[in-house]
Amino acid sequence: MSTSGDGSGQSIVFRNGLVLTMDDQNTVLDRADVLIAGEHIAEVGPDLAVPEGTVEIDAAGGIVMPGMIDTHRHMWQTAMRGYGADWTLTQYFVWYYLESGKLFRPEDIYAGNYLAAIEAIDAGVTTTVDWSHGLQTTQHADAAVDALQAVPGRFVLAYGNIQRGPWEWSTSPEFREFVNRRMSSRSDMLGFQMAFDVTGDPAFPEKPAFEVAREIGVPVTTHAGVWGATNDDGIRLMYENGFMTPSTIYVHAATLTPDSYNRIAASGGSVSVSTESEQSAGQGYPTTWQLRNHNIPVSLSMDTSVWWSGDLFSAMRTTLGADRSREHLEAHAVKETITHVHLRAQQVVEWATRGGSKALGLDSVVGSLESGKKADVVLIKNDRSPVMFPILNPYGHVAFQAQRGDVHSVVINGKLVKRDHELVGVDLAVARRNVERTVDYLIGQMGEDAWRKGMNPDIPETKVMDNPYTYTEWDSDAAQWKR
Ligand SMILES: [Zn+2]
């Protein structure tokens, strides 16, 4: 038995793990193996016989699960990781759309995408939709794709350009040339979508972009129900013009009425919920508590590392918290008590895996650990962590106990890309140098003052309320209030 190498060309077996298959029955196997042969999962079960030369990974004490799937991440923005921690959508629109975002050159798109792609696979996110709306030219788009192809993950390029109307860029000869050149031979390793928003303008100027998407046969992903930006009118226009399809992904869908949710449900589309984003940017309340009532399929996403974290553990955790928080709050408002919550840990693990594969039309390919599917496998295990035992409720463990540092090994398309907490064949130094160059360039273009100002929005004044219970003075000698 070999115990080294990245497993390419070799079989790989995870031994004696607690296996969350995420199959239709949500089968959990207590001490089981997952055998990978070539690009596929060969078998899942206890004590598997394996071919000579199989790479063995000891999964005892750990959880083996399908790779996680992020259906909406602006990967280019990772070049400015953490910069917008104190933003709302107001600063985001000003700085990213009008200021710093405009300055991005193709090499800066590359730098952001490359780092974000590495970050994703390191955290066990094996498929990521690159909601790439900084593609001001097709050279930018080439750079985005080059970066995605330089990292051994599964990606979907969602092509967009916030600097122009979708009716402009999508109908340009350059876009068509790019599609023919880079996207004509799409594979399950690199998918393609079109990414643009629908403003609700009654003239429906986005119509030509939807027609292009229909003509070239790619799904549309759109920020829908974003407070102050997109609303029910956009959904209605899409519906009335026949552009709501089962492959359409509605990102956020937070500020919408039941009528729009009914249209989404009836047309079979899904919602990409970015709870960590919705909670602080202001798109609207994270909407799973409403989507449940409309039976709308959900996938999870992290949106952007310019503000938040980039791992789906955070997405699962915040989504559970936001849903339950709202359920309690709604009940308390009518003097009722919630004794049993609706949203379970199992459900968010499902959304982070099968939710994504279904939304992306990849459910026959990835999303669960079943023989015949492509092998995207994550082992959560950390022998040095006091948080890895006891594992009593495995779904709860994934959602509330584990974190990205516990991602021990990751297989994507049958290839080991992380092993024993170390990325395989990825040079972080290159990613660091690229991003440092981009940051230096952006600061140089914007100037130090503007750069600092962009990161530090004004804090509104907090008016402390009058308090009727004000004592005069604390007498420390007497240890009592002076009267
Ligand atoms: Zn977004």
Side-chain angles (χ1 to χ4, degrees):
M1 299 283 173
S2 164
T3 53
S4 63
D6 68 0
S8 53
Q10 280 173 298
S11 300
I12 304 166
V13 66
F14 289 89
R15 286 284 192 206
N16 297 316
L18 198 167
V19 179
L20 304 184
T21 65
M22 305 315 294
D23 65 8
D24 288 341
Q25 294 74 40
N26 279 309
T27 307
V28 177
L29 301 167
D30 203 9
R31 275 179 71 86
D33 306 339
V34 176
L35 175 63
I36 295 151
E39 296 176 352
H40 294 89
I41 294 169
E43 212 177 339
V44 181
D47 305 317
L48 298 181
V50 302
E52 180 75 29
T54 296
V55 176
E56 297 255 352
I57 295 173
D58 176 13
I63 296 171
V64 186
M65 64 179 283
M68 290 169 270
I69 296 170
D70 183 326
T71 53
H72 151 245
R73 192 181 303 191
H74 308 293
M75 294 173 75
W76 61 288
Q77 299 178 346
T78 302
M80 289 174 66
R81 180 193 300 291
Y83 179 91
D86 295 320
W87 281 354
T88 62
L89 282 178
T90 302
Q91 284 84 36
Y92 177 73
F93 289 147
V94 169
W95 290 96
Y96 243 99
Y97 286 19
L98 304 176
E99 304 284 343
S100 47
K102 237 180 177 166
L103 299 172
F104 271 61
R105 306 161 297 179
E107 59 259 53
D108 306 313
I109 297 283
Y110 185 97
N113 268 30
Y114 186 65
L115 180 58
I118 294 171
E119 176 182 2
I121 65 173
D122 180 66
V125 180
T126 52
T127 302
T128 309
V129 174
D130 177 23
W131 221 104
S132 195
H133 58 354
L135 305 181
Q136 301 178 58
T137 68
T138 50
Q139 287 76 49
H140 290 73
D142 277 315
V145 172
D146 288 345
L148 300 180
Q149 291 187 323
V151 176
R154 209 179 286 281
F155 300 103
V156 175
L157 177 75
Y159 192 114
N161 175 7
I162 37 176
Q163 303 300 340
R164 292 177 71 193
W167 55 92
E168 296 172 313
W169 61 257
S170 70
T171 56
S172 71
E174 301 80 45
F175 173 70
R176 197 53 73 96
E177 184 274 331
F178 171 82
V179 173
N180 291 337
R181 185 163 48 80
R182 298 297 299 258
M183 291 294 154
S184 55
S185 57
R186 295 196 283 279
S187 72
D188 59 44
M189 292 303 288
L190 181 66
F192 191 43
Q193 297 178 342
M194 285 169 62
F196 57 88
D197 297 342
V198 182
T199 60
D201 177 342
F204 195 39
E206 298 84 5
K207 189 175 181 184
F210 280 106
E211 286 168 341
V212 170
R214 178 183 286 166
E215 186 204 326
I216 62 178
V218 300
V220 169
T221 174
T222 187
H223 293 107
V226 173
W227 178 261
T230 58
N231 57 36
D232 290 315
D233 290 336
I235 297 285
R236 182 180 47 76
L237 286 163
M238 286 175 69
Y239 184 81
E240 287 169 355
N241 287 275
F243 293 121
M244 292 180 79
T245 77
S247 65
T248 310
I249 297 181
Y250 306 86
V251 175
H252 305 305
T255 309
L256 294 172
T257 60
D259 195 50
S260 286
Y261 292 125
N262 286 338
R263 293 185 204 268
I264 294 171
S267 56
S270 65
V271 170
S272 175
V273 175
S274 309
T275 303
E276 209 169 62
S277 170
E278 289 128 22
Q279 285 184 318
S280 67
Q283 295 92 342
Y285 199 90
T287 195
T288 56
W289 69 288
Q290 301 202 79
L291 300 177
R292 283 196 265 111
N293 299 331
H294 294 276
N295 202 21
I296 293 174
V298 173
S299 63
L300 300 182
S301 58
M302 290 313 304
D303 203 346
T304 170
S305 296
V306 77
W307 256 291
W308 306 288
S309 63
D311 66 84
L312 287 186
F313 297 108
S314 312
M316 290 186 273
R317 198 167 298 167
T318 53
T319 300
L320 275 173
D323 191 291
R324 291 171 177 181
S325 181
R326 187 64 183 244
E327 191 173 14
H328 289 300
L329 194 66
E330 294 283 322
H332 298 176
V334 292
K335 304 272 185 267
E336 284 175 4
T337 301
I338 296 293
T339 57
H340 296 68
V341 288
H342 276 88
L343 189 61
R344 299 307 169 100
Q346 177 188 302
Q347 182 68 72
V348 293
V349 177
E350 207 175 306
W351 285 342
T353 52
R354 294 298 290 282
S357 61
K358 287 175 182 168
L360 298 178
L362 287 172
D363 198 49
S364 63
V365 182
V366 292
S368 60
L369 302 181
E370 297 178 84
S371 67
K373 279 200 175 181
K374 288 290 189 82
D376 288 6
V377 186
V378 171
L379 170 61
I380 297 167
K381 168 173 165 158
N382 188 345
D383 293 337
R384 292 174 294 254
S385 168
V387 185
M388 281 309 296
F389 56 89
I391 299 176
L392 306 176
N393 175 339
Y395 296 111
H397 214 96
V398 170
F400 278 132
Q401 307 296 322
Q403 45 103 350
R404 63 177 303 139
D406 300 322
V407 174
H408 176 288
S409 295
V410 180
V411 169
I412 301 178
N413 210 42
K415 192 168 178 287
L416 261 171
V417 301
K418 186 179 186 185
R419 182 171 193 187
D420 205 4
H421 300 280
E422 295 284 342
L423 287 163
V424 178
V426 168
D427 192 350
L428 263 192
V430 173
R432 185 180 289 119
R433 268 199 307 278
N434 290 343
V435 163
E436 280 170 359
R437 272 199 292 268
T438 288
V439 169
D440 287 347
Y441 159 77
L442 291 172
I443 294 173
Q445 291 288 305
M446 290 167 67
E448 295 269 1
D449 278 356
W451 175 264
R452 258 196 308 278
K453 198 161 174 282
M455 195 167 7
N456 297 289
D458 294 338
I459 304 175
E461 193 191 345
T462 302
K463 188 173 178 333
V464 178
M465 297 169 80
D466 291 334
N467 184 343
Y469 302 107
T470 306
Y471 289 95
T472 47
E473 202 183 335
W474 175 252
D475 182 341
S476 54
D477 292 334
Q480 62 181 10
W481 292 102
K482 285 179 181 168
R483 304 243 173 209

